Amino acid sequence: MNLDLLQKAANQARGLAMDAVHDCASGHLGLPLGCAEIGAVLFGDLLNVCPSQPRWLNRDRFILSAGHGSMFLYGWLHLSGFNVGVEDLKNFRHKGSITPGHPEFRDTEGVECTTGPLGQGIANAVGFALSARRAAARFNKPGMDIFTQNIFCLAGDGCLQEGVACEALALAAVLKLDNLILIYDSNDITLDAPAERTQLADPRAVYEALGWEVRQIDGHDLKAVAEAVEAAKAAKNGKPQLIVAKTVIGKGIPGIEGTTKGHGEGGARLLEEAHANWGIPAGERYYVSEDVRAYFNDLKARREAAFSAWNAMYREWRQSFPELAAELDAGMDACARGVDPSVSDKDIPAFSPDYSDATRSSGSVAINAIAKADPWFLTTSADLYSSNKNYLNGGGDFSAENPEGRNFWFGIREHAMASICNGIAYDGLFRVSAATFCVFVDYMRAAIRVAALSGLPVTYILTHDSVAVGEDGPTHQPVETVSGLRVIPNLDVIRPADPEETAGAWMAALQRADGPTALILTRQKVATLNDIPVETRRQGVLKGGYVARREQDKLEAVILASGSELELALKAAERLGSGIRVVSMPSFFRFDAQPAEYRESVLPPSCMKRVSVEAGVTGLWWKYLGCQGEAVGINRFGFSAPGNQVLDELGMNVDNVVNAVQNVLAR
């Protein structure tokens, strides 16, 4: 390792960051300048990557949890030969560039995940580490270790102060993820104030108590950084690795470094003085010296050779273990392209006509059928397997002793669970689901939002879907929760009515490769709606909405319903007569994506006498109801009593639906 040359590279990386932030008058200089030596050691030597193969299966993953410092990552990707050119650096934060304000998945080669919401990247890194550990256990063979990667994460005080980080780091220690290396940029400054104003804990004591191995170093000492990284990579002792790197925020900017002013772009006005401190020739912009370029060109060639050697082993592995190779391919394909619904339809047998149970139970039947057919399917729980019914029978429990397990026990850590599942999904080897009570999904919301904007195919199993939860009372009775999820762009929220719609919901979830799906399932038993053909129910869910009961005479009114309230709608229609149509609307997201011709065949514009029925807030239903319609729902919190009593008291009964339809017909 040429320390003198890497120091020069670190200073020139500082210059690249400062030039980009200066030119767009926006961005964060603190981390790119403060962590330059860390970048030099990783990207300039110890990170096992191949720039021409940015999705190489065995690459080390680098996650910049402190995503506001994005110019750190873009600068080092540029220097090490990834597809990030000088013009891309000049277009930092410009519309349409591959160098957006915070790193975004799929925008930039070498960016492993979308980061910026603090703490998320740490939990994502735990997900990557879980994925890597399971992949190694499942696919490595003696003499053919195709998965040996380490997961690196760079984070600061802001990330570690967020609660999700503590949740995720505690779990990483429980699961003994010694392939995870967290580098803590400890500069004693947060955005507004010195860190001591909001934190007193000794990080070494805290994380050692959690079960991590901790080293503390001078983050500007290249030799110390290199030794710490090499020791962390070698320490396969069952402990995740933390390197506390003491750094100076905004290092090199006179009067700014080491202060809160170093966090943002304020120091960019001192560009010339900073350039001089870093040995960058006067007047030069986006400067990289010839010897630094030559060093990284040689390094790229060495990395290409390492990839070629691995690839030869990988080809031999594929020939020697074709069944495992097919399994690996199938998992990656399911992540990248989704699963054809006709395939998952066959995997989930039709339910018996006399089946009578909650949709959480029929969901259990569905996922176990899927898991039997698809070994890449994994599931997780926030200490609620017995309630959510999402345990994979025979799948084994993931642990340090059983890393091939398919059931992940995350404890009462919903936020970390969702964020870790994002990490697994970013890695793209396994399809994963996460389960909790519907009302607790708000603990997961930040991670769900990132999954939606990043296009991650995570499935959320959210049971106990309404006030029918009953005796637990309003703290556990979701009324606004389902609508609150429906407003997140690119999140498919499906509330199935019976076992076959639940099977259709799982078919829909597995079909998606470009975003997450939330399955909203009941605790209480629901009827199996045998008057509607199985294929109609399953295929209807794939379209988001369908005609569950067609009028026999002139169409007078339409009742729309989702979930368990579809049964109420069908019973009300029977009482109201032959001119009433009933539409099952399990997924607004899918229905709204259908061609206008299909939507109008289900909801004819000629009939605006419409009533919606759902045990939740009514606001989102009005886009289907129009000004002549009426919404039957619950626009208040519930109360503690048996579930049937709560439903009846709050108007979720056939009489109330009949009255609502009669009201719209009388207008």
Side-chain angles (χ1 to χ4, degrees), residues 390 547 613 662:
N390 66 308
V547 178
V613 189
Q662 289 174 339

Side-chain angles (χ1 to χ4, degrees), residues 6 8 13 21 71 106 261 274 347 353 359 424 470 492 522 559-560 587 591 596 629 657 662:
L6 286 180
K8 182 183 286 190
V21 171
M71 267 309 304
R106 295 193 178 98
K261 296 177 183 178
D347 290 340
T359 53
I424 295 171
D492 186 8
T522 70
I559 307 174
L560 302 88
S587 169
F591 184 75
V657 178
Q662 289 174 339

Side-chain angles (χ1 to χ4, degrees), residues 237-249:
N237 56 7
K239 292 185 177 184
Q241 303 291 305
L242 173 64
I243 299 172
V244 180
K246 300 302 296 183
T247 63
V248 176
I249 193 169

Side-chain angles (χ1 to χ4, degrees), residues 489-566:
N490 200 37
L491 172 64
D492 186 8
V493 180
I494 307 178
R495 188 167 180 251
D498 83 337
E500 296 301 347
E501 281 203 1
T502 303
W506 268 107
M507 291 159 54
L510 291 175
Q511 182 185 34
R512 291 205 78 192
D514 59 354
T517 302
L519 305 183
I520 314 297
L521 307 177
T522 70
R523 184 186 72 168
Q524 78 276 18
K525 290 184 178 182
V526 297
T528 299
L529 305 174
N530 294 309
D531 289 343
I532 310 170
V534 170
E535 183 178 2
T536 300
R537 281 174 278 170
R538 292 190 177 195
Q539 295 299 317
V541 173
L542 294 177
K543 293 185 176 180
Y546 67 97
V547 178
R549 178 191 189 268
R550 192 171 295 277
E551 68 282 1
Q552 298 303 306
D553 291 314
K554 181 181 177 182
L555 178 60
E556 299 174 357
V558 179
I559 307 174
L560 302 88
S562 83
S564 51
E565 289 73 66
L566 181 59

Side-chain angles (χ1 to χ4, degrees), residues 148-358:
T148 60
Q149 71 268 39
N150 288 292
I151 313 303
F152 289 88
C153 179
L154 178 59
D157 292 291
C159 289
L160 288 168
Q161 284 191 6
E162 289 287 357
V164 65
C166 189
E167 291 182 25
L169 296 178
L171 186 65
V174 170
L175 297 176
K176 301 181 180 179
L177 298 178
D178 54 14
N179 59 342
L180 174 61
I181 302 171
L182 173 63
I183 302 175
Y184 169 24
D185 172 28
S186 179
N187 55 36
D188 300 320
I189 296 292
T190 58
L191 189 150
D192 271 352
E196 64 185 11
R197 187 167 296 181
T198 55
Q199 62 188 39
L200 293 175
D202 174 1
R204 183 160 203 152
V206 169
Y207 295 106
E208 284 179 345
L210 282 177
W212 284 63
E213 184 167 29
V214 184
R215 297 171 179 82
Q216 184 165 315
I217 60 169
D218 176 354
H220 300 302
D221 182 334
L222 282 162
K223 185 172 184 291
V225 174
E227 289 175 349
V229 170
E230 289 177 321
K233 289 174 67 174
K236 301 306 179 187
N237 56 7
K239 292 185 177 184
Q241 303 291 305
L242 173 64
I243 299 172
V244 180
K246 300 302 296 183
T247 63
V248 176
I249 193 169
K251 183 174 176 59
I253 306 178
I256 300 293
E257 64 178 11
T259 73
T260 56
K261 296 177 183 178
H263 184 270
E265 73 275 2
R269 59 187 172 79
L270 300 171
L271 184 145
E272 295 300 334
E273 295 94 323
H275 275 197
N277 286 340
W278 301 326
I280 295 173
E284 290 282 356
R285 304 294 301 281
Y286 298 96
Y287 174 78
V288 179
S289 61
E290 291 185 7
D291 55 349
V292 168
R293 287 280 186 212
Y295 173 84
F296 278 100
N297 286 337
D298 290 344
L299 176 63
K300 186 177 180 181
R302 295 198 301 273
R303 284 170 165 166
E304 292 283 349
F307 166 76
S308 295
W310 175 90
N311 202 36
M313 178 184 65
Y314 179 59
R315 289 196 299 268
E316 183 181 353
W317 173 85
R318 293 185 66 86
Q319 293 173 355
S320 301
F321 305 100
E323 291 184 359
L324 283 179
E327 180 182 324
L328 178 59
D329 291 346
M332 291 190 293
D333 193 64
C335 294
R337 282 173 283 278
V339 180
D340 188 322
S342 65
V343 175
S344 48
D345 189 16
K346 294 175 183 176
D347 290 340
I348 307 171
F351 288 83
S352 169
D354 61 359
Y355 184 92
S356 177
D357 211 334

Side-chain angles (χ1 to χ4, degrees), residues 587-631:
S587 169
F588 293 9
F589 178 87
R590 285 180 169 265
F591 184 75
D592 292 348
Q594 299 304 312
E597 181 180 7
Y598 177 78
R599 286 183 278 119
E600 291 174 4
S601 73
V602 175
L603 296 175
S606 59
C607 181
M608 296 306 297
K609 303 288 187 178
R610 301 176 182 178
V611 171
S612 67
V613 189
E614 184 173 59
V617 296
T618 58
L620 296 184
W621 284 95
W622 289 98
K623 66 178 176 178
Y624 303 124
L625 299 177
C627 59
Q628 299 179 53
E630 187 166 321

